[in-house]
Amino acid sequence: MTRAVLVSRSTPPAITQVDLPDPAEGEALVDVTYSSVNYKDGLALAGNPGVARVDPLVPGIDVVGTVSALGPGVHDVAIGDRVVCNGAGLGETRHGGWAEHAVVPSGSLVVLPDSVEDSFAAAIGTAGFTAMLSVLALERTVSPDDGPVLVTGASGGVGTVAIALLAARGYRVTASTGRRSNEASLRALGASDVVDRATIAELGKPLQRATWAGAVDSAGGATLANVLAATKWGGAVTACGLAQDSALPTTVMPFILRAVSLLGINSVEAPLPLRQRAWERLAIDLDPALLADVTRTVDLEHAIAVGAEVVAGRVHGRTVVDLRR
């Protein structure tokens, strides 16, 4: 049995005791030290069937902790390893990290570098992991010398980490946010300019003034369409979210007239070598002090309330869940 938050479609989320199975073939048991609160976790708490695909479910798409038991045939990790797991079905198709213990697929576990503390790994979480995947994809096409890059949803988890990562690599970053009160914080992360998201939230012309060498977008919808329309020749835009809309009301014109690339980012099913590469870069590129300034820590009880705030767009930065409390 493990203490956990349990979500059911018939009852409100609550902290209770959950019976966990022993790790099966290809699985590991992790004694969880930290998790985090992500947009998907908020949707799971609300019973969104597109996220909470099993019922009941323990939310938490991030797990950070120490391996304490292994299923048959597991050689990817060893007992005692400090590990992180992002996505991989956690908090969607299987119980996730809002619990003192979690059974996770061993093939998605990354052994943490010695320099990365558990709490820092949780602050990075799926949001920061997704931001790093976006940067890895973007820098294959766009260099800092090509011009400014845009980060939409800049006050959210993906956006804040993406700003810090891109700035650390020498990119000139413009942050798009609906919360101008966060401007000083976004500039502290490395943004050179801050614009109001309202300027790109309503659908505009299919081709607009070429402004961005590249972009990291977590909004989708009209925002992504406008970003594509304003991207320079040969630029690239990563798509990693749908906070505004899952639809994409655009034309082929940015792609065939400006050779713009739209790069999809999937953090849930990322293969282990890519996960390892992303975490190696996060350990090097991301300043823990920068992320600490936009991170708060809560216990399980308070995590439930934060989930709704994240979905409503009222949370700036990252929220870590401390399972040791």
Side-chain angles (χ1 to χ4, degrees), residues 37-39 41-43 45 98 302-312:
V37 184
N38 296 276
Y39 191 81
D41 299 323
L43 294 178
L45 288 167
W98 288 19
H302 291 94
I304 296 173
V306 175
E309 295 177 13
V310 170
V311 174

Side-chain angles (χ1 to χ4, degrees), residues 130-152:
T130 301
M132 188 73 253
L133 293 180
S134 295
V135 172
L136 289 172
L138 196 66
E139 65 186 11
R140 292 198 297 265
T141 303
V142 179
S143 78
D145 295 332
D146 292 332
V149 295
L150 177 69
V151 175
T152 69

